[in-house]
Amino acid sequence: MTHTVPLTEKAARAPKAELHIHIEGSLEPELIFKLAQRNNMKLAYDSIESLRDAYAFTDLQSFLDIYYAGASVLLTEADFYDMTMAYCERALADNVVHAEIFFDPQTHTERGVAIETVVAGIDRALADTEKRGLTSKLILCFLRHLSEADALATFDAALPLFERYPRLIGVGLDSSERGHPPSKFERVFERARAIGLKLVAHAGEEGPPSYIYEALDLLKVDRVDHGVRSIEDAALVTRLADTRVALTVCPLSNIKLCVFDDMTRHTLKDLLDHGVAVTVNSDDPAYFGGYVNDNYTATIDALKLDDAEVHTILRNSFEASFVTPQERDAMIAKLDAYWNGTAA
Ligand code: HPA
Ligand code: ZN
């Protein structure tokens, strides 16, 4: 007799990689309050509930304003450690076996926190979690609303860290997309490429398809973060499918930030049908109403994905990751063994 489980549960229990998670976006209101108290800081909100009530966003910028305010409680190495450890616990609970994690150094260096403090705390938590079955990489993101000169200075300050922390393997680009095209950061990405770093950029979340072209052609990214607006340009969709440049899609984020009206309107399935290597990720789970499995569940239910489609998305998460070919093959073999041994 075959024991069957619902597809959402089969996906929840599957080993998976998460490739688009901002560690500062995993900071839950409870931890924001705890860290504020520990650091003798006063918040603009008088309770956890009133902070959570403010999480009603109309677009990317309305989220970013609150996200940067939340991150302002992070001061010490222990703060970055505790934030990262809390994310790792949630990731392990969702059967994430590999995570590639973004952090925004400029959000902290602007407030006088040393970049070493940021990376040391995050990396120590990731090292401690490795023994428990979660491997990880770190990706340093430049804030695109700040200047090119600021990004270049941040890159220079981070240079010794790329040597010291083997987990730190790439750079990315995030924050306010509209009006800040990838072309603004061509030179800093060129420098990162010259020292062999992996490259990613948020593009086509709120910005037009032309920003995705710029990310591919000028920044020469290995993956595109979000990229959902690629669906507006048929030639771009074909190019993404042919080159297998993956999109790290974040469905709940897209709904919370009003990129789509509701989940049934999400273009993830259209992109998948066109052969684009889409993955499912949480983006800023503390702010968008769910961790990675919540994103799988919402997507499977709203878009009525079938068993083979969910398997493809899970495989894509490993194929698009920055692990070695041997590590990737081992992860995919485990996924396939699990998937084929479990009837949905
Ligand atoms: N988009 C751009 N910048 C961000 C995001 C996002 O979804 N999350 C955190 N920084
Ligand atoms: Zn993001």
Side-chain angles (χ1 to χ4, degrees), residues 20 22 60 63-64 67-68 104 174-176 202 205 226 253 257 283-284 288:
H20 185 156
H22 302 263
L60 176 57
F63 153 70
L64 290 170
Y67 162 81
Y68 295 129
D104 291 339
D174 63 7
S175 191
S176 322
H202 284 53
E205 176 186 17
H226 293 294
S253 164
L257 301 188
D283 208 3
D284 301 283
F288 298 148

Side-chain angles (χ1 to χ4, degrees), residues 126-138:
L126 296 178
D128 285 352
T129 313
E130 198 119 326
K131 313 170 190 91
R132 297 167 62 195
L134 174 62
T135 61
S136 50
K137 306 283 184 201
L138 264 178

Side-chain angles (χ1 to χ4, degrees), residues 7 10-11 14 307 310-311 314 334-343:
L7 184 54
K10 183 175 173 180
D307 186 274
V310 178
H311 185 207
L314 288 160
K334 280 190 191 161
L335 166 66
D336 288 353
Y338 164 80
W339 202 259
N340 299 326
T342 309

